[in-house]
Amino acid sequence: MFITVEGIDGCGKTTQLELLAEWLREQGEEPVLTREPGGTWLSEEIRRLLLRPGPEPVSAVAELLLYAAARAEHVARVIRPALAAGRLVLADRYSDSTLAYQVAGRGLERSWAEAVLAGATGGLRPDLTFLFDLAPEQALARAARADRLEQEDLAFFERVRAGYLAIARAEPERVVVIDSNGPVAAIQAQVRRLVAARLAQARREGDR
Ligand code: TYD
């Protein structure tokens, strides 16, 4: 099973993913915990290039292609092998980030982006995605550091948020929207309930 977490910077997704991984380990699962951009040597190098504030602006097309390149490596070298070995994969961001940030946020063409992403991932989609929804004013106040993307203005993050919510409306079976404006423990309880239900369902289907 392939589970991803998504949301704007500072939404709390990374904390929630780590707590979920901890709980799964207590249940005897051995989840593969990974992140995007990242997860392989090349993808981490691309991550450094993308997040470091540089002396010149980066074109949106180049940005999308770099995220896609990092994802292609990650899928081929980490995610697919882990899924093939029957592991549960937990990824901090995946293709929805590109559709939210580069398409909704930067205004790149959706059909082109979808074609690039399909090529990069070979069509691999998450089974379950948690979208941690939070107003940009609140989320950015939480984000400790300011990397290149976090230096964008509020209007950019409003577009990214709207992009994410549109994905969730289009794919309600896959994407669960979680209101991230609440105590960490209460949010984590919701996440665990949903993951437990999905794992039980997968086991039932596997037994058939
Ligand atoms: P991340 O490390 O998750 O940042 P944070 O923990 O602050 O949320 O993600 C790095 C940044 O990269 C984040 O600003 C979102 C951006 N991003 C994209 O713009 N497109 C993508 O496809 C991905 C994976 C990330």
Side-chain angles (χ1 to χ4, degrees), residues 30-72:
E30 290 177 10
V32 173
L33 183 59
T34 187
R35 68 167 180 185
E36 291 212 347
T40 74
W41 173 80
L42 179 63
S43 306
E44 291 289 338
E45 289 291 306
I46 295 173
R47 177 187 182 88
R48 278 201 309 117
L49 290 173
L50 279 165
L51 298 190
R52 190 173 57 200
E56 296 172 358
V58 176
S59 82
V61 170
E63 186 178 271
L64 185 146
L65 291 171
L66 285 168
Y67 280 113
R71 183 161 308 128

Side-chain angles (χ1 to χ4, degrees), residues 6-11 13-14 35-37 47 50-51 63 67-68 71 92-99 101-102 106 117 143 145 147 149-150 156-157 164:
E6 296 281 356
I8 59 175
D9 303 78
C11 69
K13 65 184 167 45
T14 306
R35 68 167 180 185
E36 291 212 347
R47 177 187 182 88
L50 279 165
L51 298 190
E63 186 178 271
Y67 280 113
R71 183 161 308 128
D92 192 338
R93 298 193 181 280
Y94 190 63
S95 292
D96 295 327
S97 283
T98 310
L99 295 172
Y101 281 77
Q102 279 68 50
R106 303 260 191 244
L117 292 176
R145 67 208 153 75
D147 61 34
L149 277 96
E150 286 161 358
F156 173 78
F157 288 103
Y164 270 132

Side-chain angles (χ1 to χ4, degrees), residues 9 101 136 140 149 152-161:
D9 303 78
Y101 281 77
L140 293 180
L149 277 96
E152 291 291 339
D153 57 14
L154 275 182
F156 173 78
F157 288 103
E158 290 289 1
R159 292 196 297 278
V160 174
R161 181 191 196 189

Side-chain angles (χ1 to χ4, degrees), residues 1 19 28 32 56 71 77 79 86 94 108 110 113 116 131 145 162 167 171 175-176:
M1 185 176 301
L19 290 170
V32 173
E56 296 172 358
R71 183 161 308 128
R77 301 180 60 86
I79 302 178
Y94 190 63
L108 290 179
R110 171 171 302 276
V116 172
L131 169 55
R145 67 208 153 75
I167 296 169
E171 290 182 72
V175 185
V176 178

